[in-house]
Amino acid sequence: MIKAVRGMRDLLPPETALWNFVESAARDVFRAYNFREIRTPIIEETQLFARSVGEATDIVSKEMYTFEDRGRAQSDKGQSLTLRPENTAGVVRAYIEHKLWERGLQKLFYIGPQFRRERPQKGRYRQFFQIGAEVIGPPASGSESPARDAEVLEMLATLLDRLGIDNWTLQLNSVGCPADRARYNDVLKKALEPVVGQMCEDCQRRAVTNPLRVFDCKVPEDQPIIEKLPRISDYLDEPCRKHFEQVQGILQAVGVSFVLNDRLVRGLDYYTRTAFEFTHGALGAQNAILGGGRYDGLSESLGGPSAPGIGFAIGEDRLVLALTESAEALSRPPDVYIAPLGEGMNREAARLARELRRHDVVVELGDESFRLKRSLELASRMNARFALIIGENEIKSDVFALKNLATGEQVAVPRGELAGRIQTK
Ligand code: HAM
């Protein structure tokens, strides 16, 4: 038997109703904040992620699905391609490729699958879905303003509230500008030198390639050492400190609560200044429902013009785990089950179903070979509100037997009144 590949999973009904609920709430909220949708390819050049997410990150160094795309011709040298592990890089590539800066500040959102070859566990999959957004534009469009950071964070709080998810914590940090980072990196390197020998293999590599990445370490024995390392908050320059204070000031003014966490550096290299995660108590080890931050130098590092930006991505799989709604409650059962009785009635049933569906009635269509008892059982099992019986007499009189499956009450309804009758609660 061929099964789904490890870490990839099927989403089946009724659970898919939860996904639709989340996505439609997200689209509504994005509309209210004037974001518009962007769809970028799932496959991109490998270099795009190496240069944006960063060679020394876990994502690029060990989690990407990368393959050589080559034809049969000898002359075809092939190209290294990668299934996107995240969507910010693709959005910034598209921003540069299509000169979106000519259109001023861009507020873009996306919903789609991402791929990382991580060890699968609850809340962590190799194909997972992100709902994300990016605000990016030339500096003159206001893209650097702390008002943009605060707006994005407030929008996220609004979306979580609308989904009925409370119990979240916004963890907030500033990772500073590239100059702050460079200073901090030096300090960190020095602080690591005497202790790195006692740390895990990954940390020993990180201490050399990219010391900030030691904060990605999950090894319990390393945590007391990491706890004592210098803090980025002590190395922010005046403009970064001010920017961060303004973000916090707006959040306080709009009543979005947060906790400061100066150990939050995020697992991707492109971040500058504001960095954040929303965590949720019910999720266990994989407790980050979403993450994001500012990436003011990303466009330049991909060959584009200056285009400060801020964005986030929600792990939709995790968001769905945090919902309190049940899939059944969100699924809409059929309004009516049509039971054709006897030969030639499939045709009549199809005509009637077509009429009712045009009035937005949700119709499940039975088959003339089923007996009435079987049809009524099927209708009850799928929680249809009504059963509509179609036999020769009904067709002749154009009046149909409509049975309310909750009360058992059956009434005769003329064809023209059926849709209205079925729709009244
Ligand atoms: P990220 O923190 O790598 O950031 O991912 C964002 C969210 O995606 C995580 O908080 C988590 O909920 C979800 N996620 C990540 N990996 C998995 C997985 N293997 N299985 C299930 N869910 C997962 C980014 O991707 C950035 N592009 C966010 C961003 C946008 N920053 C600025 N703009």
Side-chain angles (χ1 to χ4, degrees):
M1 186 179 45
I2 298 178
K3 291 187 172 175
V5 172
R6 190 167 126 80
M8 317 275 169
R9 55 189 190 133
D10 301 306
L11 303 172
L12 306 174
E15 263 66 42
T16 40
L18 294 171
W19 290 70
N20 284 320
F21 168 64
V22 164
E23 287 169 22
S24 85
R27 285 175 189 279
D28 287 349
V29 170
F30 286 137
R31 197 171 309 125
Y33 287 76
N34 198 28
F35 280 73
R36 293 183 300 173
E37 185 170 6
I38 182 168
R39 299 189 189 197
T40 65
I42 284 171
I43 295 176
E44 298 271 5
E45 278 188 40
T46 303
Q47 269 306 305
L48 175 67
F49 303 112
R51 280 161 60 182
S52 56
V53 175
E55 300 268 12
T57 58
D58 283 355
I59 295 176
V60 173
S61 68
K62 53 187 188 197
E63 294 170 358
M64 293 203 305
Y65 285 93
T66 296
F67 60 99
E68 174 111 326
D69 184 36
R70 52 180 308 198
R72 291 192 184 175
Q74 280 287 319
S75 56
D76 187 349
K77 282 213 192 65
Q79 199 180 11
S80 178
L81 303 181
T82 291
L83 299 189
R84 64 183 186 201
E86 62 105 48
N87 217 339
T88 309
V91 170
V92 177
R93 181 206 37 75
Y95 174 89
I96 299 167
E97 186 169 338
H98 304 287
K99 299 189 169 60
L100 294 184
W101 61 84
E102 289 174 352
R103 309 186 197 174
L105 189 70
Q106 297 295 297
K107 295 166 76 176
L108 305 165
F109 78 87
Y110 48 82
I111 300 177
Q114 320 292 333
F115 303 85
R116 297 183 195 174
R117 203 169 187 293
E118 296 192 81
R119 198 168 48 77
Q121 63 182 87
K122 184 184 166 204
R124 192 161 76 190
Y125 312 96
R126 291 180 168 180
Q127 173 176 323
F128 59 99
F129 284 77
Q130 284 186 340
I131 300 176
E134 314 291 346
V135 182
I136 179 171
S141 69
S143 54
E144 231 166 332
S145 165
R148 300 285 69 80
D149 308 43
E151 184 182 32
V152 159
L153 291 165
E154 186 269 321
M155 175 169 80
L156 283 164
T158 299
L159 174 59
L160 294 177
D161 286 348
R162 182 175 295 202
L163 291 171
I165 296 179
D166 36 28
N167 217 336
W168 50 262
T169 307
L170 163 55
Q171 314 247 1
L172 193 61
N173 191 22
S174 173
V175 295
C177 59
D180 303 334
R181 290 269 286 279
R183 269 192 303 143
Y184 180 60
N185 254 320
D186 286 344
V187 176
L188 205 52
K189 246 187 190 152
K190 285 213 182 77
L192 279 165
E193 262 166 32
V195 289
V196 75
Q198 306 154 37
M199 298 178 82
C200 71
E201 238 170 70
D202 276 341
C203 280
Q204 302 197 6
R205 179 176 50 82
R206 290 163 176 148
V208 182
T209 53
N210 190 345
L212 214 60
R213 296 270 69 90
V214 299
F215 296 113
D216 298 343
C217 178
K218 303 269 156 37
V219 176
E221 294 78 32
D222 288 3
Q223 300 311 310
I225 302 173
I226 291 172
E227 182 51 34
K228 291 200 199 83
L229 292 171
R231 297 180 170 268
I232 182 87
S233 50
D234 294 327
Y235 294 86
L236 300 183
D237 65 13
E238 201 40 41
C240 286
R241 204 183 299 276
K242 225 175 178 167
H243 190 276
F244 194 36
E245 271 169 23
Q246 286 175 353
V247 175
Q248 294 174 52
I250 302 173
L251 288 178
Q252 278 152 356
V254 295
V256 172
S257 55
F258 56 87
V259 296
L260 295 178
N261 176 0
D262 63 5
R263 287 308 197 208
L264 182 81
V265 294
R266 313 269 302 118
L268 306 90
D269 277 354
Y270 49 62
Y271 290 111
T272 54
R273 295 191 166 174
T274 311
F276 58 86
E277 280 180 5
F278 281 68
T279 53
H280 189 271
L283 290 179
Q286 305 304 319
N287 67 353
I289 264 189
L290 67 95
R294 218 168 232 296
Y295 43 84
D296 291 348
L298 179 54
S299 170
E300 288 99 318
S301 71
L302 294 172
S306 168
I310 179 158
F312 64 84
I314 301 171
E316 191 176 357
D317 305 71
R318 296 185 191 176
L319 194 62
V320 165
L321 284 174
L323 290 178
T324 49
E325 261 84 3
S326 75
E328 272 77 14
L330 292 171
S331 305
R332 182 176 169 188
D335 296 316
V336 62
Y337 183 99
I338 297 185
L341 285 186
E343 219 180 297
M345 286 304 122
N346 271 350
R347 246 182 293 170
E348 299 297 339
R351 276 191 345 140
L352 196 51
R354 185 165 158 87
E355 285 168 31
L356 292 174
R357 285 167 175 156
R358 282 187 175 164
H359 285 92
D360 266 352
V361 175
V362 181
V363 177
E364 177 68 23
L365 196 46
D367 189 274
E368 64 188 22
S369 68
F370 297 169
R371 279 205 285 206
L372 182 59
K373 184 161 176 274
R374 166 127 194 257
S375 289
L376 292 179
E377 275 167 14
L378 283 169
S380 300
R381 206 181 305 157
M382 61 184 70
N383 281 327
R385 287 174 43 239
F386 293 98
L388 181 61
I389 297 150
I390 303 186
E392 251 170 66
N393 289 340
E394 282 79 5
I395 295 302
K396 267 193 214 123
S397 61
D398 227 16
V399 174
F400 297 83
L402 184 68
K403 188 179 174 74
N404 182 321
L405 291 167
T407 62
E409 182 199 11
Q410 187 166 314
V411 284
V413 183
R415 190 177 199 108
E417 293 171 24
L418 276 171
R421 201 50 184 267
I422 291 168
Q423 275 159 336
T424 49
K425 294 281 167 206

